[in-house]
Structure formats: structure tokens, C-alpha cells
Amino acid sequence: MSTLKCISPIDGSVFAERETLSPEAARDAVATARNAQKSWAARPLQERIDLVMAGVAAVGAMNDEIVPELAHMMGRPVRYGGEFGGFNERASHMATIASEALADIEVGEDATFKRYIKRVPHGVVLVVAPWNYPYMTAINTVAPALIAGNTVVLKHATQTLLVGERMAKAFKSAGVPTDVFQNLFLDHDTTSELIAGNAFDFVNFTGSVGGGQAMERAAAGTFTGVGTELGGKDPGYVMEDADLDAAVDTLIDGAMFNAGQCCCGIERIYVHESIYSDFVAKAVAVVSSYKLGNPLDEETTMGPMANVRFAEEVRAQIREAVAAGASAHIDPFAEDDGGAYLTPQILTNVTHDMRVMRDESFGPVVGIMKVSSDEEAIQLMNDSEFGLTASLWTKDLDRAITVGDQIETGTVFMNRADYLDPGLCWTGCKNTGRGGGLSVIGYQNLTRPKSYHLKKVTS
């Protein structure tokens, strides 16, 4: 056993700590989930839906405690009110579509045969959730997995140590059996041992590329399905006919909100040369107006990064880019302490030779490049190891579709960015990973097909 410690980015203090389970205790906990699964799946679908949604509501009832807790754990300002809106939206959508998404696929019936395909739950699903949007990313899988008849084991990030505990408490209070939805404190070795030992029937991981690779290595040879949502370097492309003010406001917010710690945050922007200078000037004005500070202060619009080492990586990328010829447009904020509190930055004169335009930054920095054509923008957007989302800005729908069809990405946005629509499949390509959450496809990934070919006895 070891101790997991959440270090608050506000002041570097230990905000919470929990002991991890021993491998034996972890195996026992997962065994209870397996024993509980068949009886859970045997409950009527509507009963499972009602219990899950009651659990979601119970999380909402905790929101006044959750919001400052999140500020302490990962630095998001309290003024933004937490994540319950998106948490509830995603769970509610998956509840609404469950009956249709999980319905039998009727292939045909006549006097001789009845043929159909059922969607049946995998069994025990492991959800490994990240710290940056700890409630919303977890519910993406927890809600549909439970509704589909799986039992769920949640392992949450150490940085947001208390989130899984709160979710499990809320769902238990709503009537979801304890063994059906468990939050476990596990170290990496125990997690890998459980996966390698076929403890789970499906694993959903959201996190780093290295973490996703570790999950796949642990599952190698077990035939356990692994869904991953990993890194991103999401581009925005502003065409000459775009609504300039809307593009600036949305793309810069997409780059800087949550201190830039968003999987689908905007990390690089390409702007048509005819409006490039105006875009940069407006973007600099927006970022210069931010108030960096303690996230518990209602006036703060940007809190610290979740961990000092995350901020150090962003500073390193900025420093290297400037040394290679990039221009930094934001003067250091007085509140920048050289640690977790970091000045947001806009860079121009950047190239794809610089890490800030290639590696995931996951912080409040964005590089802006001038382009002269759709072809140039497409080439640059595709020049990345990642592929999660891309944001296109134009008044021409057909043009956006034509450009979008050529981008290597999981989602194409037009005139918006940094949003997860639960009616659409949340997915990626390249080093962003494989799989798909939410939507009808989310249910397909959390179940397996089972075919029935029934020959009738006729006299």
C-alpha cells in the first residue's frame, strides 16, 4: 500500500490523502463488482436509468461543497460554478437515448426463423478518469456503463482525489448498490496487475499518451477492450469571411479557460493573412484583461495550473519558442510566482519546428500563425501526432464541410470550439487514441453484440 496525496495548487499544501488498497483487497473489491453485475443487469432498464439519474441529482445537491473543493484540488476559479451543468447534460442525454440505443436489432422473422441482435453488457467496466474536468469526464462513461447493465469501478486521478469518493457516496445515497459502483484508490502497479489478470471486461482511460500505452500493455493478450482518449493539440482555422470578434472570443476562451487545461482546448490557431493582424490585436486585448489569482476569490478569472510541474512544462515551451524567434505578446502578470500561477501567453512568429506548436501544452499558451489558403491551413492542421477536434471559422457551411473532410480529427466544429455535444461521438485519431464515448456509439462500445438465430419448430 502507498499514500496518494493531492497537493493543492493554491498554496502547495496537502489538501487530501488516501491510502491505496493492497492488491489482495483490490481483487476482492473487483470480485464483489463481478458478483453484483448479473443481478444489476437483470433489473429493468428504466429502473437502472432512474437510479443513475438519482445519483446524478445527488451529486448536484453537493455542488456548494464541490465547487470550492475543485478550486483547492485543481485550481479552477469558483466563479465558474463547477461542472454540474455538463455533468447533468451528458448523463441526461444518455438516459434519454438508452432505450433506443440498447434495443434489439431486428433482422427478420418469418414462419421459420426469428433473428435479432441484442446489446449485452460487457460485465465489469474500469473507468480511469483525469483531473482536468473530473466530474464530466467520469460521467461520460459511468452513466452509460451503469445504464447498460455493467458494474463500474472508478479510479480517479490523484490530483482530484475526492471526486470519485463523492460520486460513489452520491450514487449510494440514491440507491445504487455499493458493489455496483465503487470508487477504489489504486496505485499504478495494482491497476496494471488487475487489468493483466482479466479482472475487467472493458477499460476506459482518459489521460496522457503514456498512460494509455500503459493500459494497452497491461491488457495485451487478455482480449479486454480498451478505450482511450489521450492527448490533443487542437487547431483553430479562421478564414477571411469569419466573424472576427466571435472567432477571437471563442478561440481564445477555448485556449485559456481552465488555465488551458482542456483536452479539446485550442492550442494552435491559423488565421488568413487578410485578417491576421486584427485577430492578433484583439486576442492580445482579451488575454491582457484576465485576472490571475487565488481561485477562491470571486474576482479571479484564471487560477493556478493544477500542478507546478505542469506550469514548468508550459514555461519551457514558451522559453524555447522565444529563443527560436517567437514573439511573446503578454507582459508577465504580477501574480505570476514562477510556480503554479502562470501568465497566459500568446505567441506569434511561431513555426512547427517549435515544441509549442507540436507537443501538447495543456496550459494557457497559444501560438498563432498566418496562412494564405485552405490548402496551407489543412496541411498545418494535419501536421500533428494528435487528432481530437478542429475549429473552423467561416460563414460558408459547404466550405467548412469540404475543409473538415480533409482534417485528421475526431470532431469538426464550425464557429464554435471546446464543447462536447453528448449526441455526438466523442472520439479521436492518431495519438489521441481509439474508441468513442457518449452518443449511440458510446453504448455500442460499452456493450457487446449477441446474435440470436432461432429456428421455429413447425409441424
Side-chain angles (χ1 to χ4, degrees), residues 198-325:
N198 271 121
F200 307 107
D201 302 290
F202 187 80
V203 176
N204 185 269
F205 174 82
T206 305
S208 68
V209 173
Q213 290 170 335
M215 295 289 159
E216 289 196 343
R217 280 194 294 268
T222 67
F223 305 113
T224 301
V226 178
T228 53
E229 195 242 287
L230 310 174
K233 194 70 182 174
D234 292 8
Y237 171 35
V238 185
M239 304 175 207
E240 69 280 2
D241 67 335
D243 180 329
L244 184 59
D245 288 337
V248 170
D249 289 345
T250 303
L251 290 174
I252 296 304
D253 181 68
M256 301 295 172
F257 186 77
N258 206 37
Q261 299 166 132
C262 305
C263 58
C264 58
I266 297 296
E267 295 215 355
R268 49 201 175 106
I269 301 174
Y270 307 99
V271 183
H272 190 270
E273 58 191 3
S274 64
I275 56 173
Y276 173 81
S277 296
D278 288 342
F279 184 97
V280 171
K282 289 175 179 289
V284 169
V286 169
V287 174
S288 297
S289 71
Y290 290 164
K291 178 170 174 49
L292 176 67
N294 189 318
L296 297 172
D297 182 348
E298 287 284 352
E299 299 301 311
T300 295
T301 59
M302 178 175 287
M305 294 194 68
N307 192 290
V308 172
R309 64 185 175 89
F310 304 154
E312 287 175 347
E313 168 62 11
V314 177
R315 287 191 177 93
Q317 290 187 20
I318 294 170
R319 185 169 57 249
E320 292 168 18
V322 170

Side-chain angles (χ1 to χ4, degrees), residues 30-257:
V30 176
T32 67
R34 186 164 300 284
N35 290 336
Q37 190 269 322
K38 283 186 168 51
S39 60
W40 173 250
R43 295 192 185 206
L45 174 60
Q46 191 58 52
E47 183 180 334
R48 297 198 302 268
I49 291 171
D50 291 343
L51 285 167
V52 168
M53 292 311 298
V56 169
V59 171
M62 299 176 176
N63 204 50
D64 288 346
E65 302 166 55
I66 285 173
V67 170
E69 195 169 82
L70 285 174
H72 279 288
M73 289 191 293
M74 48 77 67
R76 186 185 303 130
V78 295
R79 69 180 290 142
Y80 298 118
E83 300 178 19
F84 186 68
F87 182 87
N88 184 59
E89 177 190 26
R90 297 174 187 189
S92 297
H93 179 81
M94 296 308 285
T96 299
I97 69 170
S99 179
E100 181 178 355
L102 295 170
D104 295 348
I105 301 171
E106 301 292 343
V107 177
E109 182 174 7
D110 55 26
T112 307
F113 290 102
K114 179 176 177 63
R115 297 172 297 146
Y116 60 97
I117 304 167
K118 292 183 70 71
R119 304 296 318 184
V120 298
H122 287 302
V124 183
V125 172
L126 172 65
V127 179
V128 184
W131 53 263
N132 62 320
Y133 282 92
Y135 284 94
M136 290 196 290
T137 52
I139 204 64
N140 289 352
T141 307
V142 169
L146 290 173
I147 289 171
N150 299 285
T151 52
V152 171
V153 171
L154 174 62
K155 177 190 182 299
H156 222 297
T158 302
Q159 192 67 50
T160 41
L161 196 58
L162 304 183
V163 171
E165 195 171 73
R166 276 202 178 273
M167 286 181 64
K169 178 181 178 181
F171 277 59
K172 179 182 178 180
S173 74
V176 176
T178 302
D179 295 341
V180 167
F181 176 36
Q182 299 180 67
N183 174 68
L184 301 185
F185 297 109
L186 304 172
D187 60 30
H188 294 321
D189 288 344
T190 301
T191 304
S192 294
E193 180 184 314
L194 289 169
I195 296 170
N198 271 121
F200 307 107
D201 302 290
F202 187 80
V203 176
N204 185 269
F205 174 82
T206 305
S208 68
V209 173
Q213 290 170 335
M215 295 289 159
E216 289 196 343
R217 280 194 294 268
T222 67
F223 305 113
T224 301
V226 178
T228 53
E229 195 242 287
L230 310 174
K233 194 70 182 174
D234 292 8
Y237 171 35
V238 185
M239 304 175 207
E240 69 280 2
D241 67 335
D243 180 329
L244 184 59
D245 288 337
V248 170
D249 289 345
T250 303
L251 290 174
I252 296 304
D253 181 68
M256 301 295 172
F257 186 77

